[in-house]
Every structure is written in structure tokens, then in C-alpha cells.
Amino acid sequence: QVQFAESGGGTVQSGGSLKLSCTAPISHFENHDVNWYRQYPGQKHQQVARITGGGEFLVRLDSVKGRFTGYRDNYRQTAYLQMNDLRPEDTAKYYCFPVGVVARWGRGTQVTVSP
């Protein structure tokens, strides 16, 4: 039906940075908040943050506060998650999901942080 494309993951050393991208091919993208989630193997998706339609970044996970931020480009229908000072516990598959959209999870993008 509708899928979202996450990208930008990779492998970095502890303390490194990555920028994730999420492209959502939906109408009126600018009217939708975008949630970021991460998933450890065998566990449920855990919400990390939300980026509002106006670009406000809202942290939902205390462990990433002060390290992660986000922004969006509504013309490109893309939301971004900037991850700094990465830690091994950030290792997970990361997903995006716009609010108010009926869709399935995308493929996600894998982030791996080595000690």
C-alpha cells in the first residue's frame, strides 16, 4: 500500500555520528508529524523522537536527549534524524512512520555502533 524509505544507517565507532533519512511519498507530507522508532532484535518498536510538521523536534527517549536532533525538508518529503555521540546501546534498526497514515513498517535502516 504505502511504504516509507529509511536510509543512512551504517557502522560507526562509539562517539561517532550518523544522519538518517526518511522519505515518505504521501500527499500533504507537511501536515504530518513524523515519528522515529528503533527496534532491537526480537523486541517491539520503541519510539525515539517526533518531528512535527513545522519542524519541531520532540525527544521521546531520555537516553538520546542532547545527542539526537532532527529536521525535515517538506519539498523533498523527507525527514532527518541527526544522531551524535553514538553509543553501543544505540545499535538497532531505525524506522520512520508519519502520524495519521495507514501503512506498514518500512524496511528500516540498521545502525551499528562499535565500542
Side-chain angles (χ1 to χ4, degrees):
Q1 189 171 325
V2 178
Q3 285 192 322
F4 318 117
E6 301 94 345
S7 62
T11 301
V12 298
Q13 294 186 130
S14 181
S17 298
L18 286 171
K19 185 175 75 175
L20 307 185
S21 299
C22 166
T23 299
I26 60 176
S27 61
H28 304 293
F29 172 79
E30 68 276 9
N31 293 333
H32 295 269
D33 292 3
V34 176
N35 289 331
W36 282 98
Y37 300 83
R38 68 185 182 189
Q39 184 182 41
Y40 300 138
Q43 300 188 26
K44 296 175 59 178
H45 295 78
Q46 181 181 40
Q47 190 175 2
V48 176
R50 172 176 291 197
I51 305 172
T52 70
E56 183 182 10
F57 184 74
L58 306 174
V59 174
R60 302 301 193 195
L61 192 63
D62 287 341
S63 64
V64 310
K65 186 177 181 180
R67 300 188 297 118
F68 292 10
T69 189
Y71 59 99
R72 63 194 293 158
D73 185 335
N74 289 332
Y75 178 78
R76 301 182 188 277
Q77 298 195 10
T78 301
Y80 301 92
L81 182 67
Q82 178 67 51
M83 306 186 298
N84 301 317
D85 192 24
L86 285 162
R87 306 167 181 172
E89 54 263 40
D90 296 319
T91 296
K93 184 167 286 187
Y94 285 74
Y95 300 83
C96 66
F97 209 111
V99 174
V101 175
V102 177
R104 296 180 177 180
W105 295 102
R107 296 178 180 179
T109 185
Q110 179 67 40
V111 171
T112 301
V113 184
S114 61

